[in-house]
Amino acid sequence: MNSDRRRINGPSGGTSAPIYSKYITQDLSSLPPRPTRSRPPNVLRKMYGQLMLFSVLKTGVTPSASGSAYLELEASPHHPNLTKTGLASLSTSGLKLTCTVHGPRPLPKSAPFSPHIILSTHVKYAPFATRKRKGYLRDASERDLGVHLETALRGVIIGDRWPKSGVEVIITILEGEEDRWWGDEGGAGEWGMMSVLSGCITVASAAIADAGIDCVDVVAGGLAALVQRSGKPGLVLDPVPSEHKDIVAACIVGYLPQRDEITDLWVKGDIGDGGGYEELADNAVQAALGAHRVLVAALKETADVKMGRY
Amino acid sequence: MASAAPQSTLSFPRETFAKLSPHPYLLAHLQPTSDSSIPTRANGRVATQFRTPHINNGSLTHAEGSAVVRIGDTTVVCGIRAEILLANNVAGYRVDKSSTAPSSKVGYNEAKELDLLVPNIELATGCSPAFMPGQPPSTLAQSLSTRIYSLLHSSGLVDGEDLRIWYQPPDLSDQDKMEEEDEEDVPEPEVKAFWTLYIDILFISLDGNPFDAAWAGVISALKNVRLPKAYWDPDREMILCEDSVAQSKKLQLRGLPIAVTSLVFKAKEQKQAKVQKCWILVDPDTFEEGLCEESVTVVIDCGSGKTKMLGISKAGGTTIGMLEMKGIVSLAEKRWVELSDLLDR
């Protein structure tokens, strides 16, 4: 624990996360069954509360965000013979993201002239968002997510309409995706982060639209992965890392359906020879298209509310 | 809305009026020119009206306890993570007989001595343009964290016993009985570790009155906490937990304190007048917070039938006296009934 004198840091002796007896026994049968993917490989998870607007419809007297959005992906269903527990240990979490957009607003006088809008992105995990408690200071993975998000969004905003201005996109991850199932050993690792990034792109896109910032298109994030299923590699859209023991490779795209353009592409893992790569990217685009459909429907709904109101 | 009167005399829209001269704007609302309209605040509430609270518990899966509290446009997410502090890691903690342990002393607050409650407030989540991420916590965030921290301890809300993890050493005296017959009985249980509660309070949206919302979030999340059964494994020499709900336990909270904040809005124009007209505005929003200096926060608990005061903090002015204070407390009592109804659900 880094000692941050501006925060309350807790016992100086240091604390450790609880260790559950189940997971340190070598007996595999006592381990809780891994959740299984019940969706067909080409079906995305349900998105809840696709666009829950809080305090954004009011402008003027209440200083609040220019735009905001909330995204929640359903958690994988519990194994049928596992009673739903209320403890934090056996959790299968969905993804919960909130995004606020502030701006466009004038840059401070000290800032150098910019002919287009300056986009800055912040992605931060809440301390309780993951199995292991996160600190308050941004770590490398959060900065990495921020950079990827900026790449995905920069090409979408029509920047030269706001010279000398800045816009901030801030995402708080209330609940992140897990990297693996509980009993699993290490493994190559951060698959959850890719799923988080695809959610970040989608939710940021919604918040930017809500803020009324001109864009060339509504960008959506999509994720596809190559997983080992019964010994054979197969492609799945929108994989949940805890549902698959062996994820071989994953690809995430930020995709603009109207222009058929990709703004951000990130592939990780072992894709083998060239052919697999293209197929993987195509599948990620399919996933993005699915997210885009939900996104557009939600934006239409919001627009109707706004029009009806004013 | 009482806005009809001022609007007719203006040539610019309400929002512009509010931005250009916020003080007269609020004053015009509170002092409507026509007698027929009820004086309200700029947000449409009357001076003694609270915003409707919404509380949702246990929606976060990775937290031992969690709550989402929405009061008007202020939204707070509070998540509590429990971690384990080994008694060995506490400097100067004596693991000896319970009769001589420091916990037996009168007035000993173990949770405070060992720092077992760790509340932190994060405002830099984009909840308001005033607090941007990427910077150290603002003064407001720090002072709110400290206030929550001190209220948690001074209210004695969490029972120190709930946070202890006991170990009963096995009774080995049977084998030794032959040699030392008059040796003393069963070994005393000892405390091997403590639960530490990390209470993280994130503001998702901020529109005034952060303390009341944060405190309601803390209470609601504490009520939601389920600690797994933990025990000392002497073979592995570590604390292990069981993950069955049946064996887990909830915290026994002592009381249900509620914080209620009010502001005093003064009619500035009448400075020369002896008696300055003023209004007490409960549950203020950001717009009102910018216009008022004097604020009162009372923390009360009416759980046992009569009202207990756990704290009063008042700053920024001299308007509120005994009489006004009584009025504020009776408003707070009403609020307590409303909130405790939601919290007990």
Side-chain angles (χ1 to χ4, degrees):
Chain A
M1 198 85 209
N2 39 52
S3 71
D4 184 345
R5 278 167 45 214
R6 294 193 187 87
R7 292 195 171 89
I8 297 167
N9 287 308
S12 51
T15 56
S16 55
I19 298 162
Y20 291 91
S21 57
K22 239 177 209 176
Y23 305 115
I24 59 166
T25 51
Q26 297 305 309
D27 180 18
L28 282 172
S29 61
S30 75
L31 282 176
R34 153 195 302 279
T36 46
R37 185 178 174 110
S38 48
R39 297 168 285 138
N42 59 346
V43 172
L44 305 184
R45 273 177 287 175
K46 237 189 226 155
M47 290 188 186
Y48 290 118
Q50 292 100 1
L51 250 186
M52 190 181 75
L53 297 169
F54 32 80
S55 76
V56 290
L57 290 172
K58 273 174 142 188
T59 46
V61 269
T62 10
S64 53
S66 326
S68 67
Y70 172 77
L71 174 87
E72 182 175 339
L73 295 180
E74 66 178 345
S76 44
H78 278 267
H79 200 273
N81 55 21
L82 190 72
T83 49
K84 188 168 166 35
T85 71
L87 287 180
S89 67
L90 274 178
S91 50
T92 52
S93 68
L95 191 62
K96 293 190 177 78
L97 305 171
T98 72
C99 177
T100 49
V101 173
H102 294 276
R105 48 185 189 179
L107 286 172
K109 277 226 171 84
S110 55
F113 173 78
S114 160
H116 49 76
I117 202 163
I118 305 252
L119 171 74
S120 53
T121 52
H122 296 266
V123 179
K124 184 80 196 85
Y125 278 91
F128 42 72
T130 48
R131 279 187 202 145
K132 192 172 179 298
R133 189 174 178 271
K134 287 252 180 187
Y136 275 100
L137 299 175
R138 274 202 296 169
D139 64 14
S141 73
E142 289 164 334
R143 286 175 194 277
D144 194 21
L145 281 173
V147 171
H148 271 289
L149 181 64
E150 198 196 324
T151 318
L153 297 177
R154 204 192 300 132
V156 184
I157 295 174
I158 308 175
D160 26 339
R161 294 209 180 152
W162 290 276
K164 301 184 278 179
S165 323
V167 64
E168 260 136 311
V169 176
I170 301 152
I171 292 186
T172 304
I173 302 165
L174 292 177
E175 209 166 271
E177 194 89 71
E178 290 138 85
D179 286 332
R180 62 185 80 89
W181 181 236
W182 276 91
D184 293 0
E185 294 297 323
E190 300 180 324
W191 303 114
M193 195 173 142
M194 299 188 91
S195 184
V196 168
L197 177 60
S198 115
C200 282
I201 294 174
T202 309
V203 77
S205 173
I208 286 173
D210 182 46
I213 296 172
D214 300 358
C215 296
V216 294
D217 193 1
V218 178
V219 66
L223 176 66
L226 196 61
V227 297
Q228 291 283 2
R229 267 181 309 170
S230 49
K232 275 198 312 216
L235 281 163
V236 288
L237 303 191
D238 190 20
V240 179
S242 57
E243 288 174 355
H244 305 283
K245 198 165 164 51
D246 295 302
I247 298 182
V248 185
C251 169
I252 180 204
V253 291
Y255 181 66
L256 299 173
Q258 298 299 313
R259 314 181 130 215
D260 194 24
E261 279 177 6
I262 287 175
T263 56
D264 186 32
L265 175 81
W266 182 21
V267 185
K268 211 162 79 165
D270 177 18
I271 9 170
D273 47 2
Y277 162 71
E278 222 160 274
E279 206 185 342
L280 190 60
D282 277 346
N283 274 278
V285 165
Q286 287 307 312
L289 274 171
H292 182 262
R293 271 193 291 276
V294 178
L295 187 56
V296 167
L299 286 174
K300 274 202 182 117
E301 209 172 285
T302 315
D304 287 344
V305 171
K306 279 192 177 175
M307 297 304 176
R309 189 146 160 174
Y310 296 116
Chain B
M1 286 287 261
S3 55
Q7 201 163 21
S8 59
T9 60
L10 293 168
S11 55
F12 42 72
R14 290 159 48 86
E15 288 81 20
T16 318
F17 183 21
K19 268 206 173 128
L20 284 178
S21 54
H23 192 275
Y25 177 74
L26 183 52
L27 191 63
H29 275 94
L30 291 165
Q31 279 181 321
T33 40
S34 64
D35 288 336
S36 57
S37 51
I38 318 146
T40 56
R41 308 194 232 165
N43 48 30
R45 288 184 277 155
V46 298
T48 55
Q49 192 182 349
F50 294 92
R51 290 175 283 186
T52 320
H54 300 272
I55 296 176
N56 187 9
N57 271 334
S59 43
L60 298 175
T61 41
H62 290 308
E64 267 74 22
S66 67
V68 180
V69 173
R70 196 159 67 82
I71 297 177
D73 284 341
T74 298
T75 310
V76 172
V77 178
C78 177
I80 298 183
R81 295 289 298 253
E83 294 203 345
I84 290 168
L85 170 71
L86 288 174
N88 294 337
N89 288 351
V90 179
Y93 187 82
R94 302 195 348 255
V95 192
D96 49 12
K97 306 277 180 276
S98 57
S99 49
T100 56
S103 50
S104 60
K105 270 185 242 153
V106 180
Y108 175 79
N109 186 346
E110 192 167 69
K112 179 159 190 171
E113 296 298 322
L114 302 182
D115 236 356
L116 298 181
L117 303 173
V118 193
N120 272 300
I121 287 193
E122 182 65 281
L123 288 172
T125 53
C127 64
S128 140
F131 308 103
M132 278 299 164
Q135 278 142 24
S138 57
T139 317
L140 178 65
Q142 291 179 53
S143 89
L144 285 172
S145 301
T146 316
R147 283 171 70 191
I148 297 276
Y149 178 85
S150 69
L151 186 54
L152 268 175
H153 287 304
S154 68
S155 62
L157 196 62
V158 179
D159 189 352
E161 184 54 48
D162 278 348
L163 301 177
R164 284 189 205 141
I165 299 169
W166 288 94
Y167 170 61
Q168 171 75 60
D171 189 0
L172 303 170
S173 50
D174 282 347
Q175 293 104 14
D176 309 338
K177 253 195 184 124
M178 281 71 136
E179 295 101 70
E180 324 160 53
E181 291 213 340
D182 52 350
E183 202 39 65
E184 64 176 81
D185 38 2
V186 200
E188 274 193 62
E190 47 185 293
V191 178
K192 276 290 184 187
F194 303 92
W195 284 108
T196 306
L197 301 179
Y198 288 92
I199 305 169
D200 295 297
I201 306 147
L202 263 76
F203 276 85
I204 297 301
S205 164
L206 175 62
D207 185 22
N209 208 356
F211 185 74
D212 293 9
W215 181 250
V218 170
I219 296 280
S220 186
L222 277 174
K223 283 180 83 79
N224 184 240
V225 166
R226 248 181 202 289
L227 291 178
K229 185 196 174 211
Y231 58 93
W232 173 256
D233 186 334
D235 299 333
R236 289 196 175 86
E237 296 208 311
M238 63 200 281
I239 298 281
L240 290 181
C241 302
E242 285 300 332
D243 61 357
S244 82
V245 186
Q247 284 174 301
S248 67
K249 61 174 184 185
K250 299 205 117 188
L251 293 176
Q252 300 297 316
L253 298 187
R254 287 184 285 222
L256 192 76
I258 295 295
V260 176
T261 301
S262 318
L263 290 182
V264 180
F265 178 72
K266 284 194 227 170
K268 247 187 231 160
E269 279 72 25
Q270 307 170 325
K271 237 174 200 151
Q272 63 281 18
K274 281 232 170 75
V275 184
Q276 219 182 26
K277 195 147 190 218
C278 66
W279 291 265
I280 291 171
L281 311 176
V282 297
D283 192 13
D285 60 24
T286 303
F287 175 69
E288 290 160 348
E289 279 178 346
L291 299 172
C292 307
E293 278 178 354
E294 189 168 353
S295 83
V296 188
T297 302
V298 292
V299 183
I300 63 161
D301 186 358
C302 314
S304 54
K306 68 174 200 237
T307 307
K308 277 190 288 184
M309 304 284 298
L310 284 99
I312 303 176
S313 63
K314 177 182 163 313
T318 53
T319 313
I320 290 183
M322 293 294 279
L323 197 68
E324 289 83 1
M325 207 67 199
K326 276 197 184 115
I328 288 174
V329 171
S330 68
L331 281 172
E333 280 167 345
K334 271 194 212 120
R335 182 65 160 178
W336 187 89
V337 174
E338 187 182 5
L339 275 175
S340 63
D341 228 38
L342 279 174
L343 288 169
D344 278 334
R345 223 170 261 170

